[in-house]
Amino acid sequence: QKEVEQDPGPLSVPEGAIVSLNCTYSNSAFQYFMWYRQYSRKGPELLMYTYSSGNKEDGRFTAQVDKSSKYISLFIRDSQPSDSATYLCAMSVRNDMRFGAGTRLTVKP
Amino acid sequence: TAGITQAPTSQILAAGRSMTLRCTQDMRHNAMYWYRQDLGLGLRLIHYSNTAGTTGKGEVPDGYSVSRANTDDFPLTLASAVPSQTSVYFCASSDLGSPEGTDTQYFGPGTRLTVL
């Protein structure tokens, strides 16, 4: 079993839809939880990070962490074609970071 | 601010040849990392360095070596390339001990390497 599991998709939604992306993990020691966005042929860029359980909102993006269930989510409201990318979840204990395989999202106009 | 630069952007390499992938950061981060990204496997850590002068092995270190002579540069060397090293290589850096405590990693644009 991988330490971090992420459905690779692909996921295709119409513009304006709410998108839900999820990861599960097995290591209860993880403390920091991040979402990276990666456009085609580019490096991953940090989208959001959260510490421990709870919600964090930034514009159209909301990150949720449920440590009791070892489950994290990223919600994208009013999705736009520019949101089309691969989304990677990541989690760490200090700088020991583990990544999910990434979910490829396409938002169609 | 440039952030992290990597060179070359892409390379085709004959099996058995050596190559050094370059990585430079201008954020004065103390920690740097090399990952490879393969379809379906995500990002896997090759080597890391928490500070200049020290390095450590990641999840997939075999066939690769690194050095960290100064804060800004972290080259990755393939001594004798094999086709299984065909991948996209990303360099990253982070500020260990940052006030927010996240040690968030910032990535370069990547190097696409094909070993034939």
Side-chain angles (χ1 to χ4, degrees):
Chain A
Q1 182 191 7
K2 294 181 182 178
E3 260 187 303
V4 181
E5 297 278 0
Q6 182 176 10
D7 187 340
L11 183 62
S12 181
V13 301
E15 183 175 355
I18 296 174
V19 177
S20 173
L21 304 168
N22 312 292
C23 288
T24 59
Y25 63 95
S26 57
N27 186 351
S28 58
F30 289 135
Q31 295 177 304
Y32 297 99
F33 303 88
M34 286 142 282
W35 287 95
Y36 284 82
R37 178 175 60 195
Q38 186 175 21
Y39 291 114
S40 181
R41 304 184 79 86
K42 300 290 186 182
E45 57 177 338
L46 180 67
L47 195 57
M48 296 186 72
Y49 75 86
T50 54
Y51 173 71
S52 195
S53 286
N55 293 2
K56 185 174 183 179
E57 188 173 322
D58 184 2
R60 296 185 295 109
F61 298 89
T62 300
Q64 287 186 350
V65 175
D66 182 348
K67 291 191 74 176
S68 62
S69 301
K70 297 189 180 67
Y71 187 88
I72 70 171
S73 300
L74 177 71
F75 297 97
I76 307 174
R77 292 183 299 280
D78 187 25
S79 56
Q80 303 295 309
S82 59
D83 295 328
S84 297
T86 296
Y87 290 80
L88 304 161
C89 64
M91 44 206 76
S92 70
V93 177
R94 295 304 290 178
N95 67 330
D96 185 4
M97 186 175 291
R98 296 288 184 269
F99 289 85
T103 300
R104 189 162 55 142
L105 170 68
T106 300
V107 180
K108 296 185 176 180
Chain B
T1 300
I4 298 179
T5 58
Q6 293 185 237
T9 302
S10 65
Q11 183 74 44
I12 298 174
L13 188 67
R17 300 296 294 267
S18 67
M19 179 172 183
T20 295
L21 281 60
R22 300 185 297 278
C23 174
T24 299
Q25 54 108 355
D26 64 2
M27 297 177 282
R28 305 304 292 173
H29 285 168
N30 44 17
M32 297 186 74
Y33 314 84
W34 274 105
Y35 292 89
R36 60 179 289 173
Q37 187 176 38
D38 302 287
L39 193 64
L41 298 176
L43 286 158
R44 292 182 293 167
L45 183 65
I46 303 170
H47 285 287
Y48 67 93
S49 168
N50 286 342
T51 188
T54 69
T55 62
K57 294 182 179 180
E59 183 182 355
V60 288
D62 294 343
Y64 306 95
S65 64
V66 292
S67 61
R68 186 89 183 277
N70 57 61
T71 298
D72 299 341
D73 301 298
F74 192 42
L76 176 73
T77 298
L78 288 68
S80 179
V82 294
S84 61
Q85 292 178 309
T86 293
S87 187
V88 182
Y89 291 85
F90 289 102
C91 180
S93 71
S94 71
D95 183 15
L96 284 185
S98 61
E100 66 267 23
T102 62
D103 299 328
T104 303
Q105 295 184 18
Y106 298 88
F107 287 81
T111 294
R112 290 183 170 271
L113 178 66
T114 302
V115 182
L116 300 175

